Amino acid sequence: MVKCDQVSLLSFPKRLPQATTVASFTNQNISMIPSNAFLGCTELKILDLSMGKFAIISKHAFESLHNLQSLILSNNNLDLYDITSLETGLYKDTKNLQCLKLERNKVTKNP
């Protein structure tokens, strides 16, 4: 388990351990989830990115997360229209995703 809650990170760590199954980055001052932020974390099952300042998720942020089952993005500054759009391909590698939590974000565009 990688737990980086309330440690005031300004950017994501360069690499997480490949065997990580649970990662938590709550209450962060990071505004963007970069491409390949979790590259190599093929065993990751639970990813908690709640209660932060995330406003942008890069298109390839969740690439290689084939085993991800739970993605928690609640309480951020995300535009729900952008991140739920199938056109972005944001979730194409998360074939085992069972739980996607998006509550308490914003909607600024209409489909």
Side-chain angles (χ1 to χ4, degrees):
M1 176 178 199
V2 173
K3 189 168 178 142
C4 296
D5 299 336
Q6 303 177 3
V7 292
S8 297
L9 295 176
L10 298 176
S11 63
F12 273 94
K14 296 284 184 204
R15 295 272 180 191
L16 295 178
Q18 287 185 336
T20 301
T21 57
V22 177
S24 181
F25 292 89
T26 63
N27 292 306
Q28 296 302 321
N29 290 318
I30 304 169
S31 63
M32 183 178 120
I33 303 170
S35 290
N36 301 315
F38 306 100
L39 187 65
C41 295
T42 57
E43 301 304 314
L44 194 60
K45 292 183 179 178
I46 300 170
L47 179 56
D48 188 350
L49 300 168
S50 63
M51 297 181 288
K53 295 186 177 163
F54 297 114
I56 299 167
I57 300 176
S58 298
K59 183 177 180 178
H60 302 286
F62 304 128
E63 254 184 29
S64 79
L65 297 183
H66 306 289
N67 290 311
L68 191 66
Q69 296 173 0
S70 180
L71 176 58
I72 305 162
L73 295 166
S74 305
N75 297 332
N76 279 289
N77 295 319
L78 297 167
D79 185 326
L80 293 182
Y81 175 71
D82 287 341
I83 65 168
T84 58
S85 172
L86 294 176
E87 294 176 356
T88 65
L90 187 60
Y91 308 105
K92 71 179 178 76
D93 285 346
T94 58
K95 306 236 186 279
N96 289 312
L97 193 63
Q98 298 171 12
C99 178
L100 175 61
K101 293 188 178 186
L102 298 169
E103 59 269 353
R104 290 181 286 288
N105 279 286
K106 62 183 179 178
V107 177
T108 60
K109 298 178 187 173
N110 291 321

